Amino acid sequence: MVNNWSDNPEYEHFKYVTAIQSWIKTQPHLPQNIHPILLQRFIHSVYGNVEKAKKLIENSFSMRNNYAHIFLKRDPLSIESKQVFEVADMLPLPYATKENYKIMLYRLANTEAEKFNFTEAIKMFFMVADVRLICMDANEPNSGWNGEVPVFDMNGFSLRHVTCVVLSVLRVYMKYTQECHPVRLRSIHVINCSPYLDRIMAIVRPFMRKEVSKLLHFHKPDSDTLYKFIPKDLLPAEYGGKSGEVKEIKSKFVKLFDSYRDYLLDESRWKLNSINKNNRGSVNVEQEVSGNFRTLCID
């Protein structure tokens, strides 16, 4: 783990963390021990704008508590969590691009649709994200994080998987990642596009903002178009790269991920405090998020 992360020049906004921590003390409905690196992520995602960071934090924790079945009571070592990792790969790749964009790979590890639990997969997605947001070197040798590039591999995804999608959970996923997630999203890549892609996108697009849809890139099976955006060498061996085999990358990351169990289980870091019926923590994030904050983390 990187201990002197505040000395990294890429984290010039660290100086604002103390100001945010002082502000949190005046907001007793918020968790009072939010990890300082997570606070730094919020600040960094909005380019050092402290007021925007405050509202992003408010919205993030409000939404987490409004959908506690996804964001709270999370155990990396639970049977459900282990089953998700048996079915799906959700992996930070070991190397970043020259712009210091981190690459995330999502794909099915087991293509049997009856083993695919969409709600648990989304819950795991946010668990993995929360670990990566505070883990400076999450299986990566360089410690900055100037943006994120997710890669979704559709190989093995069938119409039976589509029937597993829970629309209410998809809506939460899309809303949080587009409005409350403290990362700078740079581009989104869908590879090995299946014949069912149109049906899948018909489900997803109603929840997708125009700014995000512009970041989408689709790549046909056996094409090399992905390499125009991500250097081939940064990808796993299965994709022609040199970053190691997926199972090797996954094994290292899962071990790291499991070591953050106490952090994820500690609800004092995530749960709003109920003070009174007028507590701001009880406000519905559906009404709280303003139009200005619909473009916070999208470049």
Side-chain angles (χ1 to χ4, degrees):
M1 297 293 292
V2 175
N3 295 318
N4 296 321
W5 64 277
S6 61
D7 296 330
N8 190 318
E10 294 185 20
Y11 288 84
E12 73 277 12
H13 301 135
F14 171 71
K15 59 187 177 182
Y16 300 124
V17 170
T18 301
I20 292 290
Q21 288 174 323
S22 298
W23 167 76
I24 288 175
K25 290 179 181 179
T26 71
Q27 308 295 317
H29 64 288
L30 289 174
Q32 295 297 299
N33 64 336
I34 302 172
H35 201 292
I37 297 180
L38 179 56
L39 294 178
Q40 202 284 329
R41 296 296 192 196
F42 280 107
I43 299 166
H44 185 258
S45 70
V46 292
Y47 299 90
N49 187 313
V50 174
E51 292 307 310
K52 284 187 176 181
K54 291 177 181 179
K55 292 188 178 182
L56 186 58
I57 290 168
E58 284 271 10
N59 293 334
S60 173
F61 283 92
S62 293
M63 190 166 183
R64 284 176 179 272
N65 283 258
N66 286 339
Y67 302 100
H69 64 297
I70 295 174
F71 292 102
L72 298 177
K73 300 188 184 303
R74 308 175 298 172
D75 186 353
L77 300 184
S78 70
I79 294 175
E80 293 80 7
S81 294
K82 291 304 180 183
Q83 287 175 338
V84 170
F85 266 145
E86 290 175 1
V87 174
D89 294 327
M90 304 183 187
L91 306 174
L93 298 187
Y95 303 101
T97 68
K98 64 181 180 180
E99 300 88 358
N100 214 4
Y101 300 162
K102 307 299 176 156
I103 308 165
M104 281 292 298
L105 174 65
Y106 303 94
R107 71 175 198 170
L108 291 174
N110 185 316
T111 59
E112 298 177 50
E114 55 271 19
K115 294 186 177 181
F116 181 66
N117 186 316
F118 184 76
T119 300
E120 290 297 330
I122 294 301
K123 189 172 183 177
M124 176 61 74
F125 171 91
F126 287 116
M127 291 170 68
V128 168
D130 284 339
V131 168
R132 292 191 68 227
L133 285 169
I134 69 158
C135 182
M136 293 296 295
D137 63 346
N139 202 30
E140 301 147 308
N142 51 342
S143 58
W145 194 347
N146 195 35
E148 183 162 296
V149 178
V151 177
F152 296 91
D153 187 348
M154 299 301 294
N155 187 41
F157 200 88
S158 68
L159 284 178
R160 289 193 299 161
H161 289 93
V162 176
T163 64
C164 297
V165 174
V166 180
L167 290 180
S168 61
V169 175
L170 176 63
R171 182 174 182 271
V172 171
Y173 167 80
M174 295 296 291
K175 187 173 184 65
Y176 188 90
T177 54
Q178 293 177 102
E179 299 176 10
C180 302
H181 200 36
V183 300
R184 298 177 185 175
L185 189 60
R186 301 299 186 173
S187 63
I188 306 167
H189 299 275
V190 183
I191 65 175
N192 292 318
C193 294
S194 72
Y196 316 115
L197 183 62
D198 288 345
R199 300 190 188 188
I200 297 169
M201 294 308 299
I203 297 174
V204 174
R205 283 197 187 280
F207 304 107
M208 185 176 292
R209 289 160 40 197
K210 290 182 179 179
E211 296 91 338
V212 176
S213 64
K214 292 178 181 178
L215 301 178
L216 277 170
H217 300 275
F218 300 97
H219 308 275
K220 296 180 180 179
D222 301 319
S223 69
D224 60 2
T225 54
L226 177 65
Y227 307 147
K228 297 178 182 179
F229 302 90
I230 300 174
K232 185 178 181 180
D233 287 352
L234 302 184
L235 298 171
E238 290 85 344
Y239 300 88
K242 298 180 180 179
S243 67
E245 295 183 355
V246 168
K247 64 179 181 180
E248 175 188 354
I249 299 170
K250 185 173 184 176
S251 177
K252 291 180 180 179
F253 178 70
V254 170
K255 183 177 180 180
L256 175 78
F257 176 72
D258 289 348
S259 71
Y260 282 84
R261 181 178 187 238
D262 290 345
Y263 174 70
L264 293 170
L265 281 172
D266 186 357
E267 291 195 358
S268 69
R269 294 185 179 275
W270 312 107
K271 195 172 183 179
L272 294 179
N273 301 306
S274 298
I275 300 171
N276 56 56
K277 65 181 181 180
N278 294 320
N279 166 19
R280 286 196 66 191
S282 64
V283 71
N284 191 325
V285 74
E286 307 289 339
Q287 301 172 354
E288 183 75 6
V289 180
S290 68
N292 290 334
F293 291 91
R294 294 182 183 278
T295 57
L296 277 176
C297 303
I298 308 298
D299 286 344

